[in-house]
Amino acid sequence: MDGIDQIEAELFGSRVLVLSKEKGAALYKAGFFGKPVNVHKPKDISEVNTQLELSLFEAMLLNQRGILKVRKGGRIIQNEELLCLSRKSYHLFDDLYMVYKDLRDKEYIVRPALKFGADFAVYRQGPGIDHAPYIIHVLPNSAEVGPIEIVRAGRLSHTVRKKFVLATIDRLQQRIYYYVFNWWKA
Amino acid sequence: MVVMSEDTPKALLSGRSARMSGPDADRTHQQGTFGEMERGVLTLSDVEIMYLLEKDKIMLIDRDGKALSMEDFLRLATEEDPDLWMRYLLYSDLRKRGYVVKPGFGPKLEYRVYRRGAAMGTEPAKYLVYGLVEGKPVAISEIAAVSSSAKLSKKELIFAVTDRQGEITYYDASEIDF
């Protein structure tokens, strides 16, 4: 993240846009943050000339790290306000953010994984560079795990041919456990 | 009605386990694959009793000298432990697949499982099999506990999921550190 100046993003409803095309590209380049508007799987970000849309998880993290200022209407909002807003517009934001932040802090590239039927795709280098990301499903409010969750995780690892990871949050210990399940031919 | 030949090894019921001694004990012990042998007395656990009864390998005799069938024993022992059938299902499924199965470390649905062809008494169990039952969620802390217990004892952790009709599917579980 070195060499990135303060960047400004603006809230439109609950969507976060970096309107400066140069700064958006720099942010994407710095750690695969956000998605260039209307560009599917950008090959070379320097050729992309659009705004950048950030997820609320990304906006929250970058804001906490002091890289991103978030504007709403005519003013810059504080981190607490961004958190309140995120909670309102994204179901179980806190659980997912805890996992997102944990992985980003460990310097992984963390991208959405809705198309894989999960919460996050985790890369070591980045999409397009390493091809088999870990697919993370966060067990929300996870005091308990149902057997179906385990079977589903095992099945998905098998069919998606990616490592499907179940992230469980231990609220008491304030830590996250990650598990991988694979069908075992007994 | 229990019909068995005269020389079927006899096990004496004692609480929820059964004891055997003499040549019968040695025969049933089968190089350490069944029961715990101590000073010539072999103690069989409830699931081992069930399995051996079902295979007609032992005769189970109660205090009054009466022979009990597998069904008799199941009825009797279920009064004390309603999960006996579940434990038996998992035990016998693994046995039928050729593994030697020993009790786990905790009171839960858990077994230590040796690799096929393991030399009993000289090598540790390779797997820790933990049972889950459809419709019954388990606490995250419990998963974390089994996982760390498997890690500490250097065993592969296997989750055995039993469905509502007793069908079992196995999943290899590993905790990963990002």
Side-chain angles (χ1 to χ4, degrees), chain A residues 44-135:
Chain A
D44 184 0
I45 192 67
S46 51
E47 284 176 13
V48 172
N49 191 30
T50 68
Q51 303 87 357
L52 188 78
E53 174 155 8
L54 294 175
S55 71
L56 289 168
F57 304 107
E58 292 169 319
M60 190 66 199
L61 185 84
L62 293 167
N63 188 243
Q64 274 186 339
R65 286 183 179 176
I67 295 160
L68 192 79
K69 277 186 184 169
V70 180
R71 176 178 294 279
K72 188 186 178 197
R75 61 192 179 88
I76 300 294
I77 62 166
Q78 297 304 303
N79 193 256
E80 297 75 52
E81 194 176 340
L82 181 60
L83 179 62
C84 276
L85 198 136
S86 301
R87 284 174 174 158
K88 274 182 204 151
S89 43
Y90 201 105
H91 185 58
L92 302 163
F93 181 83
D94 291 72
D95 284 0
L96 270 75
Y97 183 66
M98 192 174 160
V99 172
Y100 177 79
K101 185 177 184 306
D102 182 60
L103 294 166
R104 274 291 188 183
D105 284 348
K106 290 170 180 163
E107 296 183 350
Y108 285 93
I109 306 297
V110 189
R111 306 277 309 165
L114 183 64
K115 61 187 162 206
F116 301 121
D119 297 308
F120 299 113
V122 177
Y123 302 84
R124 276 177 211 287
Q125 317 265 340
I129 308 170
D130 42 338
H131 289 280
Y134 289 94
I135 303 298

Side-chain angles (χ1 to χ4, degrees), chain B:
Chain B
M1 190 58 194
V2 184
V3 187
M4 248 175 274
S5 69
E6 275 303 299
D7 58 348
T8 305
K10 286 175 187 60
L12 292 171
L13 182 64
S14 159
R16 255 174 46 204
S17 50
R19 300 213 173 99
M20 304 179 98
S21 50
D24 279 0
D26 288 327
R27 222 170 3 130
T28 308
H29 194 219
Q30 288 181 24
Q31 285 86 43
T33 61
F34 288 101
E36 294 301 324
M37 186 75 96
E38 208 176 327
R39 293 191 199 105
V41 178
L42 182 69
T43 305
L44 297 171
S45 71
D46 50 9
V47 289
E48 289 171 327
I49 296 171
M50 296 266 292
Y51 187 77
L52 292 167
L53 279 175
E54 204 247 346
K55 296 219 148 229
D56 292 340
K57 298 277 190 201
I58 58 165
M59 216 169 154
L60 183 66
I61 312 290
D62 72 5
R63 272 187 197 166
D64 307 323
K66 203 177 76 178
L68 300 180
S69 68
M70 184 185 104
E71 292 78 4
D72 295 334
F73 177 72
L74 174 63
R75 260 178 225 119
L76 200 72
T78 297
E79 284 173 24
E80 269 184 69
D81 178 11
D83 293 329
L84 173 61
W85 180 252
M86 284 300 316
R87 289 192 293 111
Y88 168 71
L89 269 184
L90 182 52
Y91 177 85
S92 60
D93 190 72
L94 287 163
R95 272 283 178 185
K96 280 166 191 161
R97 292 169 189 272
Y99 295 99
V100 173
V101 187
K102 295 281 177 180
F105 310 107
K108 312 143 206 156
L109 188 48
E110 189 180 280
Y111 291 109
R112 278 173 299 143
V113 174
Y114 293 76
R115 66 175 180 89
R116 287 194 186 91
M120 297 303 294
T122 63
E123 60 178 278
K126 189 176 179 196
Y127 309 102
L128 183 68
V129 175
Y130 179 79
L132 290 152
V133 184
E134 186 184 356
K136 275 191 186 165
V138 277
I140 289 291
S141 53
E142 171 100 9
I143 302 272
V146 217
S147 170
S148 76
S149 132
K151 255 202 278 186
L152 282 172
S153 58
K154 297 195 172 94
K155 298 191 197 318
E156 266 181 56
L157 180 61
I158 307 291
F159 281 177
V161 183
T162 303
D163 83 356
R164 62 190 83 164
Q165 292 177 329
E167 170 103 22
I168 303 171
T169 319
Y170 297 90
Y171 293 93
D172 182 297
S174 45
E175 194 182 322
I176 56 167
D177 293 313
F178 275 109

